[in-house]
Amino acid sequence: DSGVTQTPKHLITATGQRVTLRCSPRSGDLSVYWYQQSLDQGLQFLIQYYNGEERAKGNILERFSAQQFPDLHSELNLSSLELGDSALYFCASSAKFGSNYGYTFGSGTRLTVV
Amino acid sequence: DQQVKQNSPSLSVQEGRISILNCDYTNSMFDYFLWYKKYPAEGPTFLISISSIKDKNEDGRFTVFLNKSAKHLSLHIVPSQPGDSAVYFCAATRLSGTYKYIFGTGTRLKVLA
């Protein structure tokens, strides 16, 4: 157990629907990062939050949004889902902006859009 | 624009031999580099890192080499063990930035017993 909790582990939904992925960071970590891993692709950075505020944005689609709540958990909202959104979505956390020991990743949410 | 590249999608090595995984980057502003290992159905786990002020960092069987002039880093695993079979991602970041990591596409290492 890495200490980063992601729910649900698996999600199957239809095109056009909306889903919410949840991430609880490791205790004490203020930064949360969201990454997408599509089939045979690397980890694509989506968005970063630090202590409730958005700090960096990557290749995140306008249909996607995220937020970090006062208790530091984060949610990634995916709407108007398309088949191409099927992927593994990882959340990671770190203390402050980062550390010399890297992020700690959760085990991911596998999203399948049918 | 793929700023971090791992050009070998897969690598097979005999148990006990050396595994060498390579990674190239294009952004000269990157000053911190990491390797992550990922098993199926698990999230990536941190393996080893190196700052741009160094050219080598060693941790047990794992050594990372950095060649800044070539914008190239490599991960050496000696000796390779079957349990090392996994996907390895390299990542790069700027310590003065937001700590956003840019990952490569990964190399699947298979260590043959």
Side-chain angles (χ1 to χ4, degrees), chain A residues 39-50:
Chain A
L39 189 64
D40 293 332
Q41 296 294 310
L43 294 152
Q44 299 293 320
F45 172 72
L46 295 178
I47 198 163
Q48 175 200 359
Y49 280 85
Y50 173 72

Side-chain angles (χ1 to χ4, degrees), chain A residues 6-18:
Chain A
Q6 288 188 250
T7 57
K9 290 194 183 304
H10 301 276
L11 197 49
I12 301 175
T13 190
T15 54
Q17 295 298 305
R18 172 189 168 96

Side-chain angles (χ1 to χ4, degrees), chain B residues 35-103:
Chain B
W35 284 93
Y36 276 78
K37 179 168 72 173
K38 184 182 180 303
Y39 293 117
E42 295 182 11
T45 55
F46 171 77
L47 193 56
I48 193 169
S49 63
I50 188 167
S51 164
S52 60
I53 62 174
K54 295 185 176 182
D55 54 18
K56 176 183 174 181
N57 188 26
E58 194 171 350
D59 183 2
R61 297 185 297 113
F62 302 92
T63 302
V64 56
F65 295 91
L66 176 63
N67 182 333
K68 289 187 292 293
S69 60
K71 294 191 180 68
H72 176 83
L73 64 154
S74 61
L75 175 68
H76 292 208
I77 306 173
V78 184
S80 301
Q81 299 174 353
D84 297 328
S85 297
V87 178
Y88 290 78
F89 292 97
C90 67
T93 188
R94 287 180 59 190
L95 291 180
S96 60
T98 61
Y99 277 87
K100 173 181 73 176
Y101 292 175
I102 305 299
F103 283 86

Side-chain angles (χ1 to χ4, degrees), chain A residues 53-70:
Chain A
E53 293 189 5
E54 182 184 304
R55 295 293 301 189
K57 225 169 184 177
N59 299 323
I60 186 166
L61 300 171
E62 285 191 13
R63 300 183 286 107
F64 296 1
S65 65
Q67 55 184 325
Q68 186 180 27
F69 295 87

Side-chain angles (χ1 to χ4, degrees), chain A residues 32-93:
Chain A
V32 169
Y33 310 80
W34 286 97
Y35 282 82
Q36 178 194 55
Q37 185 186 17
S38 301
L39 189 64
D40 293 332
Q41 296 294 310
L43 294 152
Q44 299 293 320
F45 172 72
L46 295 178
I47 198 163
Q48 175 200 359
Y49 280 85
Y50 173 72
N51 203 20
E53 293 189 5
E54 182 184 304
R55 295 293 301 189
K57 225 169 184 177
N59 299 323
I60 186 166
L61 300 171
E62 285 191 13
R63 300 183 286 107
F64 296 1
S65 65
Q67 55 184 325
Q68 186 180 27
F69 295 87
D71 66 352
L72 301 177
H73 91 271
S74 178
E75 292 181 356
L76 179 67
N77 301 296
L78 315 176
S79 61
S80 302
L81 285 167
E82 302 174 359
L83 295 178
D85 298 327
S86 296
L88 267 169
Y89 291 85
F90 287 103
C91 166
S93 73

